[in-house]
Amino acid sequence: MTSLSASDTVNYALVAQDIRAILSRPSYDNGNIGPILIRLAWHSAGTYSKLDGTGGSNGATMRFEPESSDAANAGLDVAKGFLEPIKLKHPGISYSDLWTLAGAVSVEALGGPRIPWKHGRTDSAPMPEHHPPISTSTNSTQKCPFIRPVPANGRLPDAALDATHLRVIFYRMGFSDRDIVALSGAHSLGMCHTDRSGYDGVWTHYPNEFSNRFYQVLLDLKWKKRDWDDWTGPEQYMEEGPEQLMMLPTDMALLWDPHFKKYVQVYARDQDLFFADFADAFGRLLELGVMRDGREVAPAACPVRPKVVFVDEARREQSSVIAQESWFSRLKKRMALLTRKLKN
């Protein structure tokens, strides 16, 4: 993997061991930082767009504006800070590999399935404020820095919205309805903070245990909008009884949408199936935007020949049509010129 030669010397098993060693932290939330490390991995990859190939975990672009200040990423500086000592101990690992590995390790350490993970992500250099258009290159000897465009804000799920919004966000990444519900099962972990997302509370009574309880409580308990006199935060839902659990509007969308609900019901009954589907979907999520064939994005000023990389067949077909139209246009001009010459 020429894009990150230093990674060849990294002992990833040791990195994973060091990640597991820092997960227990009695002073943080419910005593474990695994949930926020999973959120970091999720958000670092969840910006991907199959429409143009931008975003995704490759590049660790959350280090740069505007992604670093996206409201959806509020609080993730805490997660990055937890991992910084490991980065210093293993300087050869990229941030993009470290963040995604931390998420994968945390899922398993908290009782969840083993997540398929592969190293080889490359950290992007910052994009200069005034920079010529980028071009792509397959020249592995190119000395220009690897630069991956920082995706615009707004690509991550907005918890205040509905099922349509979830489909827009996840379909853009190539996921299905089943994947959406499976990935939402990560809400069995962790909690919301008013000083970050604006929401407050936990989804289950076991926020450090990866399980299918999220689906069970979503189905089994009765939910109502939070209307406490002292609550001034965004709309969220609370369990009607003494449990004091909460759900976000996007969580409720899984219950209200019949296509989503059928998977909620399946996962509530079958934890093994949920684990298998989550491992598959989360593993694919962490791979979004990753290139391991030597391709890299370089500044246009570098002496490389631009090469168009098509991200899907629709764009390939569109480019083909444009090329044909351009060819016919040039042919018509030549014929018109030849006709004028013959008349003269």
Side-chain angles (χ1 to χ4, degrees):
M1 284 162 285
T2 57
S3 59
L4 188 61
S5 58
S7 71
D8 297 337
T9 64
V10 176
N11 184 330
Y12 292 95
L14 184 56
V15 176
Q17 178 179 315
D18 288 343
I19 292 170
R20 283 190 289 271
I22 68 169
L23 294 182
S24 178
R25 188 169 293 248
S27 62
Y28 182 79
D29 277 0
N30 299 291
N32 196 291
I33 66 172
I36 197 173
L37 296 185
I38 294 170
R39 179 171 169 244
L40 174 63
W42 205 122
H43 284 217
S44 74
T47 57
Y48 181 73
S49 173
K50 68 178 184 179
L51 302 178
D52 59 9
T54 60
S57 65
N58 204 45
T61 54
M62 198 192 296
R63 294 170 296 144
F64 311 127
E65 291 286 352
E67 188 179 354
S68 61
S69 60
D70 190 336
N73 292 327
L76 289 181
D77 283 345
V78 174
K80 289 181 277 187
F82 285 145
L83 294 174
E84 193 60 27
I86 295 178
K87 171 64 174 172
L88 293 174
K89 181 178 178 180
H90 305 275
I93 193 172
S94 65
Y95 280 107
S96 42
D97 269 348
L98 178 59
W99 294 352
T100 52
L101 178 59
V105 168
S106 296
V107 169
E108 186 175 5
L110 295 176
R114 174 167 295 185
I115 305 299
W117 182 88
K118 183 179 179 181
H119 67 82
R121 294 165 187 78
T122 307
D123 286 343
S124 172
M127 177 74 79
E129 183 176 355
H130 302 291
H131 199 277
I134 59 173
S135 62
T136 57
S137 168
T138 56
N139 182 1
S140 62
T141 62
Q142 179 64 38
K143 300 301 182 182
C144 297
F146 172 89
I147 295 181
R148 186 165 181 81
V150 180
N153 290 349
R155 291 191 177 189
L156 295 167
D158 184 338
L161 299 180
D162 56 11
T164 298
H165 168 72
L166 286 176
R167 288 190 171 96
V168 169
I169 294 295
F170 284 87
Y171 285 6
R172 187 203 69 227
M173 292 186 277
F175 290 115
S176 66
D177 283 1
R178 182 170 184 151
D179 295 327
I180 294 172
V181 180
L183 288 169
S184 298
H187 282 175
S188 63
L189 298 171
M191 63 183 296
C192 289
H193 303 75
T194 54
D195 61 341
R196 297 176 189 175
S197 65
Y199 298 100
D200 176 51
V202 295
W203 289 274
T204 77
H205 288 304
Y206 302 90
N208 293 334
E209 184 177 316
F210 195 93
S211 70
N212 65 339
R213 288 192 184 91
F214 167 76
Y215 306 109
Q216 293 174 346
V217 297
L218 182 60
L219 286 171
D220 295 343
L221 301 182
K222 293 184 178 180
W223 303 94
K224 64 178 181 179
K225 288 185 181 179
R226 182 170 180 174
D227 57 1
W228 299 349
D229 292 338
D230 62 345
W231 177 247
T232 59
E235 178 181 300
Q236 69 178 80
Y237 292 79
M238 301 298 294
E239 185 267 331
E240 289 187 0
E243 301 294 326
Q244 295 299 300
L245 300 177
M246 70 91 199
M247 290 287 165
L248 306 173
T250 45
D251 298 324
M252 299 305 298
L254 304 182
L255 190 62
W256 296 333
D257 183 280
H259 299 289
F260 286 153
K261 185 177 180 179
K262 64 183 180 182
Y263 296 116
V264 172
Q265 293 170 325
V266 169
Y267 294 147
R269 293 191 303 266
D270 192 336
Q271 180 167 277
D272 290 341
L273 179 61
F274 162 54
F275 275 24
D277 284 0
F278 181 87
D280 173 65
F282 196 63
R284 284 185 283 124
L285 172 70
L286 300 184
E287 284 292 300
L288 294 179
V290 181
M291 299 177 292
R292 295 188 179 85
D293 58 2
R295 288 180 297 168
E296 57 186 26
V297 181
C302 295
V304 298
R305 181 180 178 182
K307 177 182 178 181
V308 178
V309 178
F310 297 98
V311 297
D312 55 35
E313 290 302 318
R315 289 185 64 189
R316 183 186 296 275
E317 181 177 353
Q318 180 186 37
S319 180
S320 176
V321 170
I322 293 172
Q324 291 178 26
E325 290 177 349
S326 178
W327 183 83
F328 281 119
S329 176
R330 292 196 303 270
L331 179 62
K332 287 171 65 177
K333 288 180 181 179
R334 290 175 182 174
M335 291 181 67
L337 179 60
L338 180 59
T339 300
R340 288 197 298 271
K341 287 183 177 180
L342 290 174
K343 287 181 178 181
N344 293 335

